[in-house]
Amino acid sequence: MTAARIVVVGTGYVGLTTGACLASLGHRVTCVDVDQAKVARLSAGRVDILEPGLSELVARGLTSGRLTFVVGAREAVQDAEGVFLCVPTPMGAGGSADLRAVEAVTEEIGDVLPSGCALITKSTVPVGTSRRIREMVGRSDIPVVSNPEFLREGTAVVDFLNPDRIVVGSDDREAATWVGSLYEDLASATVICDAASAELVKYAANCFLAVKLSYVNSIAELCERLGADITVVTEGMGYDRRIGRSFLKPGPGWGGSCLPKDTSALVKIAESVQYDFGLLNSAIEENIAQRDRVVAKIAGAVGGTLNGARIGVLGLAFKAGTNDLRDSPALAVSSVLCALGAELTAYDPAVGGEIAGMTVVDDPYQVAKAADVVVVLTEWDEFKRLDWSYMAEQMDGDTVVDTRNLLDPQAILDVGLCWQGIGRPRVRREVNA
């Protein structure tokens, strides 16, 4: 492999992982950001993102000299062979992807890119964005390439260095092949295709996962109504290789930085070509319904009225292993509880500071103090290791609502509490006459 001169614009979750991992593969990488303080922290090896292995990769990249951090993209790109755009594409007005950051960077660097430099979108962008960027740059000597990321928060470094597949799309086949060669040291299938197909792959994959999660939450609701157990049902499903075991765990709904915005964006993309994507719309509606069902379950545990109820919340991040609160279902449920008058005390091992409407504490046992109910909303393993006997002593109520089916129901029963999960029979403590 020949080391390439790479610039990564954006040092957020995707950009920093991309830059550090490409440097670990031997490329010379310059990561660019507009935040001077952030660039200074990264240059000193301080990584704010909670992601296993990322701090170590950044430190090694800095020590080797293959990874640097600078402010300002215009100067940084002038000797680059490839420029990765890793800037935010959040949900915009009406649900479409907001491409202002992508367009701003394109306008900033378009006229100073060296001839032949590949301009590569790593951010999730709607179909047609490569064409739009090519028109904005207005140079036939600058190939535009789509190279979507498939990183899961909490395992991003592992995912990057051990990918299921690498997808590279461009109307310039030679440029797409060159971008694919940047990953040649990784053992992975590589899909070389046109730009539109590459852009759609990311949306198609994420939206399929969202549909799968909404489906399993619907099956969990049926389990509760029919007296079945979702853990048995999904075990039976998971042995089918056509279905697989992943994304078959029910919960308080799906969220995070990708699925909500990507499902909304694909619905808008479909509308732009006059296609009513009813299946995806239903998955989005089911996700909202799941949150409401969880709120109703918690209300039932405190007697039906949430106003004035004291609720202890375990978990705020959208999933374990990250401190990301973006579109967190845990936070969404908590916000509804607050709006309905509940008094929340919350703990998350990766989340601190102030959150409107609730008290955030730094000790998980504090959430149980005088609580009418304790609710598990994020699947942190440490919650399984809590002293639930002590938790029970602190509570005023007698129920744990486990929206992740994380805890051992018998262990909760043994300390004199009731346990209620998602799609599973409720376990009640026996009361002697």
Side-chain angles (χ1 to χ4, degrees):
M1 179 199 70
T2 302
R5 297 186 304 278
I6 301 296
V7 171
V8 175
V9 182
T11 61
Y13 184 81
V14 172
L16 186 57
T17 303
T18 297
C21 287
L22 286 174
S24 76
L25 295 177
H27 302 296
R28 303 193 68 81
V29 181
T30 300
C31 290
V32 178
D33 205 285
V34 295
D35 186 334
Q36 292 186 352
K38 186 177 185 181
V39 167
R41 290 195 302 273
L42 290 170
S43 296
R46 298 198 299 272
V47 176
D48 298 329
I49 299 170
L50 179 62
E51 185 60 49
L54 186 55
S55 293
E56 291 81 357
L57 274 189
V58 169
R60 287 202 291 270
L62 290 169
T63 300
S64 68
R66 289 193 298 268
L67 181 64
T68 56
F69 297 92
V70 301
V71 176
R74 191 172 173 84
E75 182 176 348
V77 303
Q78 293 185 25
D79 66 346
E81 295 174 83
V83 175
F84 284 84
L85 301 182
C86 300
V87 294
T89 55
M91 189 187 303
S96 298
D98 184 345
L99 296 179
R100 284 180 294 180
V102 172
E103 292 173 348
V105 173
T106 300
E107 290 179 352
E108 179 184 0
I109 67 175
D111 64 330
V112 295
L113 291 169
S115 182
C117 176
L119 190 53
I120 308 152
T121 56
K122 180 65 82 171
S123 303
T124 303
V125 295
V127 178
T129 300
S130 291
R131 183 179 64 251
R132 168 67 177 143
I133 291 174
R134 192 165 58 248
E135 292 170 350
M136 290 182 64
V137 174
R139 293 174 53 184
S140 60
D141 62 333
I142 300 297
V144 179
V145 181
S146 173
N147 177 214
E149 53 86 13
F150 302 99
L151 306 178
R152 298 167 296 167
E153 292 194 40
T155 59
V157 171
V158 173
D159 291 343
F160 192 103
L161 298 177
N162 302 274
D164 294 323
R165 76 291 202 193
I166 294 165
V167 177
V168 186
S170 178
D171 297 334
D172 184 325
R173 186 83 178 184
E174 183 178 350
T177 300
W178 179 80
V179 172
S181 74
L182 298 175
Y183 306 95
E184 66 184 12
D185 286 351
L186 305 179
S188 172
T190 300
V191 178
I192 303 293
C193 59
D194 60 282
S197 295
E199 289 166 342
L200 187 54
V201 165
K202 178 60 183 293
Y203 283 109
N206 274 2
C207 292
F208 179 84
L209 297 177
V211 170
K212 192 174 182 182
L213 287 169
S214 284
Y215 179 78
V216 78
N217 280 334
S218 296
I219 295 297
E221 178 64 15
L222 279 180
C223 285
E224 292 191 17
R225 299 188 185 199
L226 297 173
D229 188 328
I230 189 64
T231 60
V232 177
V233 173
T234 54
E235 180 185 10
M237 293 171 62
Y239 282 113
D240 189 327
R241 286 172 292 181
R242 298 169 301 174
I243 297 173
R245 297 181 180 278
S246 64
F247 284 76
L248 282 184
K249 292 183 178 180
W254 41 264
S257 62
C258 293
L259 297 191
K261 74 179 183 68
D262 290 353
T263 50
S264 179
L266 189 55
V267 166
K268 290 299 178 182
I269 291 168
E271 288 177 356
S272 73
V273 289
Q274 292 76 55
Y275 177 66
D276 180 7
F277 208 148
L279 175 63
L280 190 53
N281 274 313
S282 294
I284 295 170
E285 292 169 3
E286 169 60 27
N287 195 47
I288 296 171
Q290 180 70 0
R291 179 199 64 192
D292 294 341
R293 286 194 291 266
V294 167
V295 170
K297 190 184 295 286
I298 296 168
V302 296
T305 302
L306 286 164
N307 189 34
R310 295 184 298 275
I311 299 175
V313 172
L314 291 173
L316 292 169
F318 92 93
K319 72 172 186 177
T322 177
N323 56 357
D324 197 342
L325 293 174
R326 287 176 292 178
D327 279 301
S328 167
L331 200 56
V333 168
S334 298
S335 297
V336 174
L337 295 173
C338 290
L340 293 174
E343 300 173 9
L344 268 62
T345 301
Y347 167 80
D348 188 291
V351 177
E354 297 182 3
I355 298 179
M358 68 186 78
T359 301
V360 180
V361 296
D362 59 6
D363 181 347
Y365 293 105
Q366 292 183 42
V367 308
K369 188 174 183 179
D372 296 314
V373 62
V374 169
V375 183
V376 177
L377 288 173
T378 308
E379 70 284 17
W380 290 98
D381 275 345
E382 74 171 69
F383 298 156
K384 294 188 287 188
R385 299 189 293 270
L386 292 176
D387 182 344
W388 280 97
S389 178
Y390 181 69
M391 293 282 282
E393 292 174 5
Q394 299 298 305
M395 293 173 63
D396 283 351
D398 65 354
T399 300
V400 176
V401 176
D402 183 1
T403 72
R404 298 286 187 166
N405 293 341
L406 176 73
L407 308 176
D408 177 1
Q410 188 60 48
I412 301 303
L413 185 68
D414 288 345
V415 300
L417 296 174
C418 303
W419 178 90
Q420 190 171 8
I422 299 292
R424 301 193 67 192
R426 181 172 180 171
V427 179
R428 298 177 182 272
R429 64 190 178 96
E430 293 183 6
V431 179
N432 295 325

